[in-house]
Amino acid sequence: MLDVSLAKVARPLLRDEAYERIRRAIIDGSLPPGTLLRDADLAEQLGLSRAPVRQALLRLAEERLVDSKPQSYTRVAELVPRDVREARQLIRALQEFAVREAMPRLGPAEVAEMRSANERFAAAIESGDLDAAVAADDVLHDVPVRVYGNRALAATIDRHLPLLRRLEYARFGSTLGQSSVRRHAELIDAIEAGDTAAAVAIVSTIWTDLDAALEE
């Protein structure tokens, strides 16, 4: 018999799993804005008890992906332009900072990783595979964040990015997707050339382009 005491698997792991699955369905539009979210129904679909689902919904409400009124309703939040703009402004600033700070450590391997991600992104846009496009976009933009290594910055981006991803699922099939391929290539070229000012300016433009998409 072991002499050490091993902790049991914590129930919050079930909450996290419920959170990830419901969040993904909201972001990709499987659960459209206005959809009523009943914890019993969600729990049955996810094969979980109602407790972790309720905890997940509370977290999603804090992130403005879910609207909730006690004793009345819980539903998928509408895509509010002001919320998207505020999230975009914050993420743009954080991404600019991450690129600026990471530049001395962005070498050939990181450039190659970003180019590969942009190739996958372009192919996904061309084929209309939005899941693959968003996944590739995440990989590309995460490279400077990961290299910079600030966990608080990364966590803040992760918290607010879903609001933008909802917009991108709606708009990546339009001109935004094609322009993003070009912007990504410009960013990678600037990083490869060691041009910090240009790289930061391009990052700013990438996120500012979402404002135009919001007005479509």
Side-chain angles (χ1 to χ4, degrees):
M1 184 174 180
L2 292 174
D3 294 329
V4 296
S5 176
L6 298 177
K8 294 181 179 179
V9 175
R11 291 199 63 79
L13 294 178
L14 299 178
R15 174 201 62 202
D16 293 342
E17 183 68 20
Y19 163 79
E20 291 293 344
R21 295 192 186 188
I22 298 169
R23 183 173 76 156
R24 171 54 58 189
I26 292 172
I27 291 172
D28 68 18
S30 299
L31 290 173
T35 301
L36 290 176
L37 301 172
R38 299 180 177 86
D39 53 17
D41 294 341
L42 291 170
E44 182 178 358
Q45 291 184 46
L46 295 171
L48 300 173
S49 67
R50 295 169 69 173
V53 170
R54 288 172 180 162
Q55 293 169 337
L57 292 175
L58 287 173
R59 184 174 172 187
L60 290 164
E62 291 175 356
E63 296 179 0
R64 295 178 291 181
L65 295 177
V66 165
D67 287 332
S68 182
K69 183 177 180 181
Q71 308 304 319
S72 182
Y73 62 79
T74 299
R75 64 193 179 198
V76 177
E78 299 292 331
L79 193 61
V80 180
R82 178 179 176 180
D83 289 346
V84 174
R85 288 195 182 93
E86 289 176 350
R88 192 268 303 164
Q89 290 168 356
L90 176 61
I91 292 174
R92 181 191 67 185
L94 294 176
Q95 290 280 0
E96 289 174 3
F97 186 75
V99 167
R100 184 181 294 110
E101 295 300 313
M103 275 294 286
R105 290 177 284 162
L106 291 171
E110 288 73 29
V111 167
E113 183 179 0
M114 294 177 75
R115 287 200 190 282
S116 177
N118 197 34
E119 290 171 2
R120 297 195 302 275
F121 177 82
I125 291 295
E126 185 68 25
S127 66
D129 187 343
L130 298 186
D131 285 336
V134 169
D137 195 60
D138 280 340
V139 170
L140 188 150
H141 288 290
D142 185 58
V143 172
V145 174
R146 187 188 72 232
V147 170
Y148 176 43
N150 186 308
R151 289 180 294 178
L153 181 145
T156 303
I157 290 175
D158 184 64
R159 176 181 176 84
H160 295 279
L161 190 59
L163 287 174
L164 302 189
R165 288 309 189 208
R166 292 182 73 190
L167 174 64
E168 289 169 340
Y169 263 94
R171 302 304 188 200
F172 264 162
S174 68
T175 56
L176 176 62
Q178 296 299 330
S179 67
S180 293
V181 174
R182 184 178 68 255
R183 297 291 190 199
H184 290 163
E186 293 170 353
L187 170 62
I188 296 164
D189 288 343
I191 290 173
E192 187 173 37
D195 190 338
T196 300
V200 171
I202 294 165
V203 168
S204 179
T205 301
I206 287 172
W207 295 104
T208 303
D209 282 349
L210 285 175
D211 270 349
L214 188 61
E215 298 302 328
E216 290 183 5

